[in-house]
Amino acid sequence: MNFSEVFKLSSLLCKFSPDGKYLASCVQYRLVVRDASTLQILQLYTCLDQVQHMEWSADSLFILCAMYKRGLVQVWSLEQPEWHCKIDEGSAGLVASCWSPDGRHILNTTEFHAPSGVTNTTCSNRRQPCLGVHLPRCSSTECLCGHKLRITVWSLCTKSVSYIKYPKACLQGITFTRDGRYMALAERRDCKDYVSILVCSDWQLLRHFDTDTQDLAGLEWAPNGCVLAVWDTCLEYKMLLYSLDGRLLSVFCAYEWSLGIKSVAWSPSSQFLAIGSYDGKVRLLNHVTWKMITEFGHPAAVNNPKTVVYKEAKKSPPLALGHLSFPPSRAGACPLTATAESRYEVASVPVSLQTLKPAADRANPRMGVGMLAFSADSYFLATRNDNVPNAIWVWDIQKLRLFVVLEQLSPVRSFQWDPQQPRLALCTGGGKVYLWSPAGCVSVQVPGEGDFLVLSLCWHPSGDSLALLSKDHFCLCFLETKEGTGAAAGLRDGHV
């Protein structure tokens, strides 16, 4: 492994471009774009205020920076640094902003009032004829629709502005199909939930139907774009599955009269839908009958001798990476810090895990499966039960059994799968990053002066590097690949 130097960062805003060529980060009101391999600065943009949200377009040509406090959105071009766009929502309260899949439309969710206007420079590059725009202002009589929320679709191609009424204020109220053809939107009107399916090419309504939900909490397309999952508020356990034409395919309810669904994840193959619940279990639905094929519990003790439990333990000698089948250090790599190092030990089953007793008198109790994610090949599912915050469960989806448990010394803050192979990276808010693969696992101290507390992380699209984010800084962890590593990843029943 090789660690880069440390760079400044604000609000954990650091993202690789979809094509993997660039790395964008925000420092207060500045946007810095670097080469993802050399980390040399390619572009430096100055925004009008501190950036609160940053997002790449799907083709990696543009970056959106949203300043919610000021009601502003600025768009920057990598191919034409002199080109820029500003969207001023004026008196409208900007609450969310995102790209459409084509990277030429911006969807702004505003409160009460409509946008006040857009200004930008003219684009002279003929390869991008759609980018020289001056979007018109809309009159106050057309703006005021009398509803709390509204989505404004700003087109950088046709200079047009479209409006979508009645969007529902929920965390996952908008979802696009992976091919970018359709958008599903959660709506709330007349005290009832609806779903609208729109065609992203012209934003025309394709389907509109009501849902049998008390208070729709979220929706998400399957990766193949054929099925839409819609789930109800946590006060009522209900998962509804719809086809593209709005037909109800199935309804799943695991239990009643208790807190219900907390997290949802589709497998990349679209064959499985994992539902994390407040009762501490993950239920797996299949794509043929949409019935439950199994449920995974998260008990406080692991008793199965076939399950390997890795426990993080404090360690004083230097960390020896050579004994593991992970990539070796590059020449000239930064030396690993010897203090406060740790390593994994294989615990003898049965193993008791550290648990928390949720506070029953507080909102949003720390209980239930709050985090879950499938590996890129759909072979593994990683989960975290919030009242066992120090542990990560890794499930073998082929054999439908618990494969590995990783117990950390501190609560797990974030974990992500390698986008190319079954390799899991996680952090606990300390100075280390942890990697697991079917070949084994490793704990690595992040080198550098001072305390670098890893609060979040994200993979490069190729899986060759990892961005580690702290409160005020970030650095890259480079992982060299070799044939032996890929071969070891295929040994799904072996541990080192």
Side-chain angles (χ1 to χ4, degrees):
M1 294 181 184
N2 183 21
F3 290 86
S4 73
E5 62 178 295
V6 175
F7 303 97
K8 291 185 178 181
L9 183 70
S10 298
S11 305
L12 301 179
L13 294 177
C14 180
K15 296 180 181 179
F16 289 102
S17 61
D19 62 6
K21 294 181 180 179
Y22 311 108
L23 175 66
S25 61
C26 290
V27 184
Q28 299 296 330
Y29 56 88
R30 293 185 296 272
L31 172 65
V32 185
V33 179
R34 304 176 186 269
D35 184 286
S37 56
T38 65
L39 294 181
Q40 293 181 347
I41 297 179
L42 302 178
Q43 298 293 342
L44 182 62
Y45 304 102
T46 301
C47 299
L48 296 174
D49 204 340
Q50 181 171 345
V51 181
Q52 296 172 278
H53 173 70
M54 181 258 292
E55 185 177 335
W56 284 95
S57 63
D59 56 9
S60 303
L61 295 179
F62 301 94
I63 306 178
L64 176 153
C65 295
M67 292 142 277
Y68 296 137
K69 295 180 180 179
R70 289 274 300 270
L72 293 175
V73 173
Q74 288 185 270
V75 185
W76 308 98
S77 170
L78 264 68
E79 287 194 338
Q80 300 183 65
E82 71 280 0
W83 182 95
H84 65 275
C85 174
K86 182 183 74 172
I87 301 177
D88 187 354
E89 296 291 352
S91 59
L94 181 64
V95 296
S97 183
C98 68
W99 284 105
S100 67
D102 65 357
R104 297 300 182 269
H105 294 80
I106 296 173
L107 283 70
N108 283 347
T109 304
T110 57
E111 290 182 326
F112 297 109
H113 300 290
S116 61
V118 173
T119 59
N120 63 290
T121 60
T122 301
C123 170
S124 59
N125 190 343
R126 293 187 178 182
R127 291 181 300 167
Q128 299 171 314
C130 62
L131 300 180
V133 297
H134 183 91
L135 301 184
R137 294 174 179 266
C138 51
S139 64
S140 59
T141 57
E142 295 173 345
C143 290
L144 300 179
C145 59
H147 297 279
K148 184 176 181 181
L149 293 179
R150 186 172 67 175
I151 295 177
T152 307
V153 182
W154 300 94
S155 173
L156 302 182
C157 300
T158 63
K159 306 181 183 180
S160 64
V161 182
S162 303
Y163 301 101
I164 303 174
K165 298 181 179 180
Y166 314 111
K168 183 177 174 63
C170 56
L171 292 178
Q172 293 178 257
I174 298 178
T175 178
F176 297 95
T177 55
R178 183 167 292 183
D179 60 10
R181 297 179 62 187
Y182 305 105
M183 181 186 82
L185 172 70
E187 297 182 356
R188 184 76 173 181
R189 61 177 78 179
D190 300 327
C191 300
K192 189 171 180 58
D193 292 325
Y194 296 86
V195 170
S196 288
I197 299 178
L198 297 93
V199 181
C200 294
S201 59
D202 55 10
W203 304 106
Q204 295 299 310
L205 183 65
L206 179 67
R207 291 288 186 272
H208 179 75
F209 53 90
D210 62 294
T211 62
D212 187 20
T213 53
Q214 296 294 325
D215 186 7
L216 191 152
L219 40 78
E220 186 172 351
W221 285 107
N224 61 12
C226 296
V227 179
L228 178 68
V230 177
W231 58 95
D232 210 337
T233 173
C234 63
L235 299 178
E236 183 169 343
Y237 199 117
K238 183 178 289 186
M239 172 65 72
L240 303 103
L241 297 160
Y242 293 93
S243 64
L244 184 60
D245 58 4
R247 290 181 296 111
L248 180 62
L249 301 176
S250 180
V251 179
F252 176 72
C253 178
Y255 53 81
E256 295 180 340
W257 315 115
S258 185
L259 292 178
I261 298 174
K262 189 170 187 178
S263 55
V264 175
W266 283 99
S267 67
S269 64
S270 302
Q271 292 177 302
F272 304 103
L273 177 63
I275 305 173
S277 310
Y278 277 90
D279 66 346
K281 294 182 180 180
V282 174
R283 283 139 181 118
L284 212 61
L285 307 187
N286 72 87
H287 73 297
V288 179
T289 63
W290 299 114
K291 303 297 182 183
M292 186 180 73
I293 56 176
T294 189
E295 64 180 22
F296 299 138
H298 296 75
V302 180
N303 300 313
N304 191 337
K306 294 183 179 181
T307 301
V308 178
V309 179
Y310 291 103
K311 293 178 69 74
E312 183 189 7
K314 293 183 179 179
K315 173 178 175 293
S316 54
L319 186 64
L321 293 177
H323 297 291
L324 294 174
S325 59
F326 278 86
S329 299
R330 288 181 179 178
C334 298
L336 295 176
T337 307
T339 59
E341 291 185 1
S342 67
R343 65 170 183 172
Y344 281 110
E345 297 178 348
V346 178
S348 300
V349 179
V351 178
S352 296
L353 305 175
Q354 301 180 28
T355 60
L356 292 178
K357 185 177 181 181
D361 57 342
R362 295 183 181 179
N364 302 316
R366 296 184 62 180
M367 58 183 291
V369 181
M371 298 171 62
L372 72 169
F374 282 93
S375 60
D377 57 6
S378 300
Y379 277 81
F380 297 103
L381 173 67
T383 61
R384 191 196 74 176
N385 189 11
D386 290 350
N387 47 310
V388 191
N390 291 25
I392 293 294
W393 280 262
V394 180
W395 308 87
D396 188 328
I397 300 303
Q398 283 189 322
K399 299 181 178 179
L400 298 178
R401 68 176 180 89
L402 181 60
F403 190 63
V404 166
V405 176
L406 308 176
E407 186 179 21
Q408 308 298 129
L409 293 174
S410 304
V412 177
R413 293 185 61 99
S414 175
F415 64 81
Q416 269 195 17
W417 287 101
D418 184 326
Q420 299 298 328
Q421 59 177 300
R423 179 168 54 179
L424 186 70
L426 58 103
C427 62
T428 61
K432 290 176 281 293
V433 60
Y434 308 90
L435 293 171
W436 173 88
S437 78
C441 53
V442 65
S443 166
V444 181
Q445 179 76 27
V446 180
E449 299 179 359
D451 294 331
F452 186 95
L453 305 181
V454 185
L455 303 180
S456 184
L457 45 81
C458 64
W459 284 96
H460 186 275
S462 67
D464 293 339
S465 61
L466 191 66
L468 309 178
L469 316 181
S470 72
K471 181 180 179 181
D472 300 313
H473 298 87
F474 79 93
C475 71
L476 290 195
C477 172
F478 295 95
L479 298 96
E480 292 185 355
T481 57
K482 61 179 182 178
E483 294 180 3
T485 305
L491 301 176
R492 307 193 185 281
D493 289 322
H495 301 275
V496 177

